[in-house]
């Protein structure tokens, strides 16, 4: 998990520079989510040939990220501008912070239990284990899930160390990013008071606590959707095109995680069209092109595996 996280931080820094976005915690959070997805898409291509080469590539990307961070520190240029947070001492704020802390401690304890879920036994852990035996990510005979979206499964397969441990840590990481995205989105549309409560609502949801403690795709996908919503909300207020591109990257990457993304992305596109006060076609086109580029590796992989880029839809 550490190598994937460091690599995603490096990719996030590059994305923010390319998109001319400010280095704020909000933009960095969305860019890190995008960085995880972009890195996984690149590793998927390498791992389809050789899994060890993909593991080495992830470590190389992480080392490049460390070198870049050291370079910035030596030059006296911090990675991001952190805002001053002041605890107001209010009851709701204190309860919310305590709820998030207790929820993640509970999740960490639950994650130590052996994984017994059907999804993990058939797909989320079974497939990466099979890929490790095969030495590459390839179709598994008799398991249709090997043709499903594979960005998260690639992270599980490429992460070095114990499969169950690494997969649980990756799910936990996406849970943190999901709560951060909930904070950022609520702060944009509802102010500081709403932003304080939002992560607590997410973290104490029974389904979140259950899914965040085991290998799965629900929490990672929800995190990418909230990240895309954060970027769209920021674009609505600031009108920076970079936010719209970042939202498209996150939305398109969702197609490599869950089939639900096809419907959700249509709703996100409708939201972009509605929120665009002028030049709606241009805004919709930018979002759509970014989403298609981000989705292309996953769609291409599924097409190569089974001849249908949106499998299992339209299979009969």
């Amino acid at each position: 998990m550490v190598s994937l996280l460091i690599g995603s931080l490096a990719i996030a820094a590059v994305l923010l520079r390319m998109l001319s976005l400010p280095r704020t915690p909000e933009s960095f959070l969305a860019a890190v989510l995008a960085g995880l997805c972009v890195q996984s898409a690149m590793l998927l291509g390498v791992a389809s040939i050789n899994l060890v080469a993909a593991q080495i590539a992830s470590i190389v990307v992480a080392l490049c990220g460390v070198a870049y961070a050291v370079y910035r520190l030596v030059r006296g240029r911090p990675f991001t501008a952190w805002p001053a947070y002041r605890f107001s001492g209010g009851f709701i704020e204190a309860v919310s912070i305590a709820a998030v802390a207790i929820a993640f401690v509970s999740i960490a304890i639950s994650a130590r239990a052996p994984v017994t879920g059907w999804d993990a036994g058939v797909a989320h852990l079974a497939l990466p284990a099979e890929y490790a035996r095969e030495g590459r990510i390839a179709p598994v005979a008799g398991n249709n899930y090997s043709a499903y979206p594979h960005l998260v499964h690639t992270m599980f397969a490429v992460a070095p160390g114990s499969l169950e441990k690494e997969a649980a840590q990756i799910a936990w990481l996406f849970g943190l990013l999901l709560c951060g995205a909930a904070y950022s989105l609520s702060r944009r549309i509802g102010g500081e008071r709403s932003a304080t409560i939002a992560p607590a609502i997410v973290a104490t949801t029974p389904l979140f606590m259950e899914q965040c403690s085991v290998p799965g795709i629900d929490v990672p996908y929800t995190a990418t959707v909230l990240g895309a919503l954060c970027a769209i909300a920021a674009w609505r207020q600031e009108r920076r095109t970079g936010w719209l591109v970042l939202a498209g990257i996150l939305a398109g990457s969702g197609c490599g995680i869950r089939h639900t993304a096809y419907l959700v992305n249509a709703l996100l596109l409708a939201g972009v069209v509605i929120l665009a006060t002028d030049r709606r076609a241009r805004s919709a086109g930018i979002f759509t092109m970014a989403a298609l580029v981000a989705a292309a590796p996953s769609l291409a992989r599924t097409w190569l595996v089974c001849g249908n880029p949106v499998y299992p839809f339209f299979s009969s």
Side-chain angles (χ1 to χ4, degrees), residues 96 99-100 102-104 106-107 110 175 178-179 182 197-213 218-219 222 226:
S96 298
V100 172
I102 292 172
F104 274 95
S106 301
I107 290 168
S110 299
L178 171 55
C179 287
I197 300 172
I201 294 175
V202 171
T204 55
T205 302
L207 183 60
F208 173 85
M209 297 182 70
E210 189 267 332
Q211 289 292 317
C212 201
S213 62
D218 294 318
V219 172
T222 307
L226 271 189

Side-chain angles (χ1 to χ4, degrees), residues 18 21 39 55 100 108 114 117 134 136 152 159 166 171 173 190 208-209 214 245 251 262 267 275 278 297 313-314:
M18 292 175 59
L21 290 175
Q39 183 180 194
Q55 293 172 337
V100 172
E134 183 70 20
R136 66 189 184 100
V152 175
E166 291 292 338
L173 170 63
F208 173 85
M209 297 182 70
V214 296
V245 175
Y262 303 133
L267 296 174
L275 294 175
D278 57 355
F313 303 118
F314 311 112

Side-chain angles (χ1 to χ4, degrees), residues 171-247:
W172 199 80
L173 170 63
F174 272 105
L176 285 176
L177 293 173
L178 171 55
C179 287
Y183 175 89
S184 297
L185 179 61
S186 299
R187 187 170 179 268
R188 279 278 182 183
I189 63 179
E192 290 289 348
R193 190 176 182 86
S194 297
T196 303
I197 300 172
I201 294 175
V202 171
T204 55
T205 302
L207 183 60
F208 173 85
M209 297 182 70
E210 189 267 332
Q211 289 292 317
C212 201
S213 62
V214 296
I217 60 176
D218 294 318
V219 172
Y221 178 65
T222 307
T224 60
V225 172
L226 271 189
L229 286 171
C230 287
I232 290 174
W235 165 74
R236 177 177 178 269
Q237 294 178 4
E238 300 177 12
R239 294 302 174 184
R240 292 175 183 262
T241 303
W243 283 116
L244 200 55
V245 175
L246 187 56

Side-chain angles (χ1 to χ4, degrees), residues 255-281:
C255 295
I257 301 176
R258 277 196 76 94
H259 295 114
T260 319
Y262 303 133
L263 175 60
V264 174
N265 288 353
L267 296 174
L268 290 175
L269 176 59
V272 169
V273 173
I274 293 171
L275 294 175
T277 54
D278 57 355
R279 306 179 72 179
R280 284 188 167 88

Side-chain angles (χ1 to χ4, degrees), residues 4 36-58 131 135-139 149-155 157-158 256 294-302 304-305:
L4 289 172
L36 282 167
C37 295
V38 169
Q39 183 180 194
S40 181
M42 294 188 296
L43 293 175
L44 176 58
V46 179
S48 297
I49 301 172
N50 188 285
L51 192 58
V52 174
Q55 293 172 337
I56 294 173
S58 70
Y131 299 151
R136 66 189 184 100
I137 294 179
H150 249 55
L151 289 189
V152 175
H153 296 104
T154 299
M155 296 183 201
V158 170
S298 296
L299 297 177
R301 187 256 174 190
T302 304
L304 290 172
V305 167

